[in-house]
Amino acid sequence: MTLRFDRIVLREIRLPLKQPFRISSGVVSERRIALVELQHPDGISGWGECVAGEQPNYSAETIDTAWWAIRTWIAPRLREQDLPSPNAVQQLLARDFRGHLMAKASVEMATWELAARLDGVPLARKLGGTREEIPTGISLGIQSTPEALVALALKARADGYRKIKMKIAPGTDVDFVAAVRNELGQSMALAVDANSAYTLDDSAVLRQLDALDLVMIEQPLGREDLVRHAALQHSLRTPLCLDESITDLERAEDMVTLGSGRIINIKPGRVGGFSSSLAIHDYCWAHHVPVWCGGMLESGIGRAHNVALASLPNFTLPGDLSPSARYWERDIVTPEWTMDERGMVRVPLDGPGIGVTVDMDRIDNLTVRKDVIGR
Ligand code: OSB
Ligand code: MG
């Protein structure tokens, strides 16, 4: 069957988080999530989820800019066309069309899902994934006291998580992380993520973090600043991991060339989709740079895409792929995502596509806006 879609259904759902999630640049209590359904003429759908946030505090995109970009530019360019392969979509969307990577990714990834369904293979295998289960880490938001953070970290370890990442910002950093290190001991893999909250003027604080035996410090400096990250990396022994700064393969190459970091957090939504993620993955593998799959508080659809990607061989560090119950009272897929007591999430390999069932009744109940593009 040819890869094409004649109609795109865009839906916005509202999904309250069990707990507000605070990072250095803002807090979210209820996710506004754009879901993309690509409808093939034979009645098969491919699903995608847009990771753009409610506010422009992680990147310039928001759900509202993504909605507009999909309607105005992405859907008209791809709809009612025979696509040679999902790998062709990224280039089609790149021509004379800058930015909007999260909007592009949501449709590009849905195209991969549609292609996997048309081929009757699991998305993980369509992408070239080899793993059957993924080691999982948790990302803990900024807490009001070190004691509160320690309590969450103890629970995370008891749940089986293999890595604990703590969000930090100036003023809620060294004391908080040191308290967790003291309580959990040296053997637990701990990491921090600053979401660009520091500058090189904060080097005293960054040196104190360097002494806490962290597996990585994620994105301490500016989003577009590979040069200062290189200066910082050369002064620290802890590996820096870049998240926001890596928007495409070229940025990954620059990181390696300049020495701006030693690890990459690949979020397919941030880099424009799966083709770009695969290119970054392959490049990093060849250059001995480990990668892991980050999260953006996705629902069960986005999580399925992340789990499929994380099944590739160079995803050697635990991903931010917490189970559904960590975020939501009830997810929008069945079965919900779970993690076993060893901190592993299983890659669904029994059915085609994302391998979980989209709960249409649940989605209908949560939908606040819907837009149908096409006949
Ligand atoms: O930097 O990884 C990040 C959530 C929102 C914005 C940025 C980030 C995050 C997370 C969430 O860390 C991880 C998850 O989805 O569990
Ligand atoms: Mg991050």
Side-chain angles (χ1 to χ4, degrees):
M1 274 182 285
T2 46
L3 180 61
R4 65 179 279 142
F5 50 88
D6 292 351
R7 190 191 291 158
I8 299 188
V9 183
L10 270 178
R11 295 178 179 86
E12 176 183 339
I13 60 165
R14 301 270 165 111
L15 209 48
L17 284 159
K18 280 185 175 173
Q19 305 291 337
F21 190 79
R22 182 179 295 278
I23 69 173
S24 60
S25 54
V27 61
V28 54
S29 313
E30 182 182 60
R31 292 293 336 275
R32 294 175 55 202
I33 298 175
L35 298 176
V36 176
E37 182 186 1
L38 306 181
Q39 295 183 346
H40 186 269
D42 289 355
I44 298 170
S45 288
W47 285 88
E49 171 171 342
C50 184
V51 300
E54 298 71 26
Q55 310 154 250
N57 66 325
Y58 170 87
S59 79
E61 288 185 88
T62 68
I63 175 174
D64 299 298
T65 69
W67 193 281
W68 169 84
I70 293 168
R71 260 210 78 80
T72 314
W73 294 100
I74 298 171
R77 190 171 290 197
L78 297 178
R79 220 170 51 74
E80 294 183 312
Q81 281 206 56
D82 288 351
L83 303 165
S85 92
N87 246 321
V89 172
Q90 186 194 354
Q91 288 214 342
L92 287 171
L93 291 178
R95 182 173 43 84
D96 303 334
F97 181 0
R98 314 283 185 243
H100 298 281
L101 293 177
M102 292 176 174
K104 289 173 178 173
S106 66
V107 176
E108 195 255 15
M109 293 161 75
T111 313
W112 278 90
E113 211 257 316
L114 179 60
R117 287 200 200 224
L118 293 172
D119 290 356
V121 299
L123 178 61
R125 293 298 174 256
K126 182 84 186 163
L127 292 169
T130 50
R131 290 168 205 280
E132 294 182 359
E133 51 181 14
I134 316 289
T136 300
I138 192 169
S139 172
L140 298 175
I142 295 174
Q143 303 299 311
S144 50
T145 62
E147 293 71 35
L149 184 62
V150 167
L152 291 179
L154 285 169
K155 167 137 190 345
R157 182 174 67 179
D159 287 344
Y161 283 104
R162 301 211 167 194
K163 180 184 89 193
I164 297 175
K165 152 172 144 182
M166 294 160 277
K167 293 290 186 179
I168 56 168
T172 48
D173 43 35
V174 176
D175 294 349
F176 287 66
V177 180
V180 172
R181 175 57 84 205
N182 284 337
E183 202 67 42
L184 275 76
Q186 285 302 314
S187 61
M188 187 72 212
L190 298 180
V192 294
D193 185 357
N195 292 107
S196 296
Y198 296 87
T199 71
L200 288 180
D201 292 341
D202 299 308
S203 58
V205 169
L206 295 163
R207 263 200 308 277
Q208 285 177 280
L209 291 170
D210 198 34
L212 291 171
D213 287 307
L214 305 173
V215 289
M216 68 190 83
I217 299 174
E218 186 173 336
Q219 197 69 40
L221 308 178
R223 294 168 46 230
E224 299 184 340
D225 202 342
L226 290 166
V227 172
R228 286 170 189 76
H229 273 113
L232 180 61
Q233 179 67 91
H234 288 119
S235 75
L236 299 179
R237 63 190 183 98
T238 308
L240 297 184
C241 168
L242 295 184
D243 173 351
E244 285 91 325
S245 289
I246 306 299
T247 48
D248 56 15
L249 173 63
E250 285 69 34
R251 247 35 63 194
E253 293 170 353
D254 292 351
M255 182 196 89
V256 171
T257 304
L258 295 169
S260 319
R262 301 197 194 123
I263 299 171
I264 291 180
N265 167 347
I266 300 184
K267 294 175 178 168
R270 187 194 68 227
V271 300
F274 283 135
S275 297
S276 170
S277 301
L278 298 179
I280 294 168
H281 166 274
D282 293 353
Y283 172 81
C284 286
W285 204 9
H287 289 79
H288 311 288
V289 173
V291 304
W292 56 283
C293 186
M296 292 290 285
L297 311 174
E298 289 92 345
S299 80
I301 293 176
R303 199 158 307 280
H305 287 274
N306 288 347
V307 168
L309 180 67
S311 73
L312 271 85
N314 193 41
F315 281 83
T316 50
L317 295 162
D320 283 345
L321 301 165
S322 292
S324 304
R326 191 252 157 150
Y327 308 93
W328 328 112
E329 290 300 338
R330 192 176 142 203
D331 208 334
I332 62 168
V333 299
T334 54
E336 296 203 343
W337 291 96
T338 56
M339 179 181 81
D340 69 18
E341 61 290 342
R342 299 172 305 131
M344 304 299 272
V345 172
R346 288 208 70 76
V347 181
L349 294 170
D350 292 338
I354 55 174
V356 287
T357 302
V358 176
D359 184 342
M360 287 310 300
D361 288 340
R362 173 92 174 124
I363 287 177
D364 283 343
N365 282 330
L366 297 169
T367 297
V368 296
R369 168 161 66 141
K370 186 171 167 178
D371 217 336
V372 179
I373 310 156
R375 287 175 290 116

